[in-house]
Amino acid sequence: MLDTLTAALRSVLPADEVITDPVRLRTYECDGLTYHRATPGVVVLPETAEQIARIVRICNDFGVPFVARGSGTGLSGGALPREDGVLIVTSKMRRILEIDLPNRRAVVEPGVTNLAITEAVLHEGYYYAPDPSSQQICSIGGNVAENSGGAHCLKHGFTVNHVEACEIVTPDGDLVTLDALDPGYDLLGAFIGSEGTLGIATRITVRLSRVPETVTTVLAAFESLEEGGEAVSAIIGAGIVPAAIEMMDALSIEAAEAAVACCYPEGAGAVLIVELDGPGAEVARQFAQLQEICSKAFELRVADDPAERAAIWKGRKSAFAAVGRISPAYIVQDGVVPRTSLPRVLAAIDGLSRQHGIRVANVFHAGDGNLHPLVLFDDAEPGAGERAEMVSGAILDLCIEHGGSITGEHGVGVDKARYMPKMFSDDDLDTMQLLRCAFDPKGLSNPGKVFPTPRLCGEVPGVRKGVHPLVESGKAEQF
């Protein structure tokens, strides 16, 4: 069937944009989470929304699943391809279609990188506020799919707070526009963060922000992680809302030094990076408060110009990739806890690390309790991967136990789907799935992601036995 499907796809795209060569297909077997891999059946490289719509209609005709992929920097397996399906790669759709400064917005294609938007408008005093650590290479289409965050989401919000409209290809191949100003249900809000299960974004209208009058970045070095955590609580408790509060522990600092020579203070058990932005007088007042709060820090560095700020951020921005210098393999986890629970959860993570003989490097958005523990292991050692997976899962259990969430910004994908029932009831999951069925009754758009077991829409039955209660009551239809 794939041969016949490929012939149909080549009626839409040039032959070199329909990839079937096994070696080239391996390029797309995973996203940034390399722990999960699958070789796609076919890869296509469309350049227009109309081509994507025709590709999706062909997939519908053949009953073949499809997965959208941008730059492939995701960290939850959200863009993991299907071996029996089509991978739709949007990386060739890289045009900035419109810049409308009077209305503070830009219209871009899904393959445009996050940072490219800022670079296009910075000379006019504007920028695009969301800033995932991979912003130099991550694309807007993927940001929309995962509702990406980043270091500055504490003050400036996530992708959903900066997207005004999306043109999308629906799972049945129609081109429609979802606008934040549309009356009725917030379909745009439902689409953003749906991880490719409700369709594919092809044209995105993003909100531009004014460059702040003043930006001051502070690096505070503490002897212990606990002291750094106390400072975080005190900063928020004082009513200060920085643009960012980031923290790294000793192991992640060691990795960053090995990778990029960031020159953080020697002997630090933790470093705290706090960025203040806004009117000059407000930043000056907040900085004075910050100095008092960070009195236990044994070194304080302050940066006001872009080059000095970049030097402070260098280690944090490279932290995920940097651990490759100290470990052959690692799992990037992503969970959230209330800020007040940070000390207890970090202590528990340290206990898990010692108990299972698995090192864990902690890098996190401390201001909103978004943890990114990096679980390190040697994939050549028998059983090490399984132990690392056990520790990784136990960390998510800790987050739920302390009233948090299994993901803050990386999404659920395939990596965290099995933890969804620990956070949501069956009724919760069924309600979510009803929305998915409304968009995608055939279950072809990025199937196997987010939900732990198939639940409606005619997907192959999983754990559930017998007629679904919502179908039995007449509230849902089984397709």
Side-chain angles (χ1 to χ4, degrees):
M1 186 179 66
L2 282 179
D3 290 340
T4 310
L5 172 69
T6 300
L9 293 171
R10 285 184 173 143
S11 71
V12 176
L13 297 173
D16 62 345
E17 293 180 356
V18 180
I19 300 173
T20 57
D21 176 68
V23 176
R24 294 180 67 193
L25 290 176
R26 290 287 300 277
T27 303
Y28 302 96
E29 67 181 1
C30 66
D31 57 14
L33 183 68
T34 59
Y35 192 70
H36 299 282
R37 297 175 183 268
T39 303
V42 183
V43 171
V44 292
L45 302 170
E47 296 187 29
T48 69
E50 290 72 20
Q51 288 177 338
I52 292 179
R54 290 178 65 188
I55 291 164
V56 170
R57 287 196 289 271
I58 289 171
C59 289
N60 272 265
D61 290 342
F62 282 81
V64 169
F66 58 89
V67 177
R69 173 191 167 107
S71 297
T73 60
L75 291 165
S76 64
L80 186 73
R82 292 275 298 221
E83 294 181 350
D84 60 345
V86 177
L87 185 67
I88 302 172
V89 180
T90 62
S91 58
K92 284 195 170 185
M93 300 174 68
R94 296 192 295 264
R95 293 183 300 162
I96 295 178
L97 302 171
E98 180 186 353
I99 294 176
D100 180 5
L101 292 182
N103 291 302
R104 297 192 179 188
R105 63 187 182 187
V107 182
V108 304
E109 291 184 324
V112 172
T113 61
N114 182 295
L115 188 59
I117 301 175
T118 291
E119 291 174 339
V121 297
L122 192 58
H123 67 287
E124 297 285 356
Y126 291 87
Y127 77 119
Y128 180 60
D131 69 328
S133 294
S134 57
Q135 67 175 163
Q136 293 181 338
I137 52 174
C138 69
S139 54
I140 292 298
N143 287 182
V144 168
E146 300 295 331
N147 191 21
S148 301
H152 290 82
C153 63
L154 173 63
K155 181 175 182 179
H156 298 293
F158 289 75
T159 298
V160 69
N161 304 113
H162 299 271
V163 172
E164 297 184 352
C166 278
E167 174 193 79
I168 73 167
V169 173
T170 65
D172 56 3
D174 290 334
L175 264 172
V176 301
T177 298
L178 307 178
D179 196 302
L181 298 179
D182 287 341
Y185 295 117
D186 182 13
L187 296 180
L188 178 62
F191 182 82
I192 297 171
S194 61
E195 303 191 31
T197 62
L198 305 185
I200 303 171
T202 53
R203 180 184 175 109
I204 302 108
T205 302
V206 299
R207 180 177 294 118
L208 302 174
S209 301
R210 270 287 188 185
V211 172
E213 177 187 334
T214 303
V215 180
T216 297
T217 305
V218 179
L219 184 146
F222 295 90
E223 291 184 354
S224 69
L225 205 57
E226 290 73 22
E227 288 182 349
E230 290 171 3
V232 171
S233 296
I235 290 167
I236 301 298
I240 302 172
V241 183
I245 308 180
E246 299 290 299
M247 189 181 289
M248 299 171 63
D249 69 3
L251 190 54
S252 60
I253 295 168
E254 176 190 338
E257 292 291 354
V260 298
C262 51
C263 300
Y264 287 166
E266 286 189 25
V271 294
L272 197 63
I273 299 173
V274 183
E275 189 151 278
L276 307 170
D277 69 8
E282 179 185 8
V283 171
R285 177 182 58 80
Q286 291 179 339
F287 176 65
Q289 290 178 278
L290 186 65
Q291 283 182 301
E292 291 184 23
I293 291 169
C294 293
S295 59
K296 289 185 179 180
F298 67 83
E299 185 173 335
L300 209 66
R301 296 180 185 175
V302 183
D304 293 313
D305 71 69
E308 291 175 344
R309 292 203 307 273
I312 286 180
W313 279 107
K314 187 177 181 180
R316 170 61 187 91
K317 289 283 188 177
S318 66
F320 286 4
V323 295
R325 292 296 188 100
I326 62 171
S327 179
Y330 59 94
I331 297 172
V332 179
Q333 200 44 275
D334 166 48
V336 184
V337 296
R339 284 185 296 267
T340 52
S341 298
L342 276 173
R344 294 192 300 277
V345 172
L346 290 171
I349 291 174
D350 183 60
L352 287 169
S353 172
R354 295 175 186 278
Q355 177 185 348
H356 296 282
I358 294 286
R359 293 185 299 167
V360 179
N362 288 290
V363 182
F364 50 100
H365 307 314
D368 52 5
N370 190 181
L371 304 172
H372 292 313
L374 305 167
V375 183
L376 315 183
F377 65 99
D378 184 350
D379 49 359
E381 178 188 335
E386 289 74 14
R387 293 203 316 277
E389 187 70 25
M390 184 186 303
V391 170
S392 178
I395 290 172
L396 293 182
D397 289 339
L398 281 171
C399 292
I400 296 171
E401 179 186 330
H402 285 82
S405 169
I406 61 173
T407 178
E409 57 178 347
H410 293 175
V412 177
V414 294
D415 188 48
K416 301 187 185 72
R418 64 189 180 279
Y419 297 99
M420 289 285 277
K422 295 187 177 184
M423 187 169 174
F424 299 104
S425 69
D426 279 351
D427 288 342
D428 293 331
L429 294 172
D430 288 340
T431 301
M432 295 180 202
Q433 185 70 1
L434 282 172
L435 175 66
R436 180 173 184 171
C437 289
F439 276 78
D440 182 23
K442 294 181 181 178
L444 297 179
S445 188
N446 208 13
K449 311 295 169 56
V450 182
F451 296 99
T453 57
R455 314 182 69 86
L456 291 177
C457 297
E459 297 179 41
V460 177
V463 174
R464 186 179 298 284
K465 303 294 183 183
V467 179
H468 192 284
L470 290 175
V471 174
E472 191 172 33
S473 67
K475 295 179 180 179
E477 182 179 356
Q478 184 88 27
F479 290 90

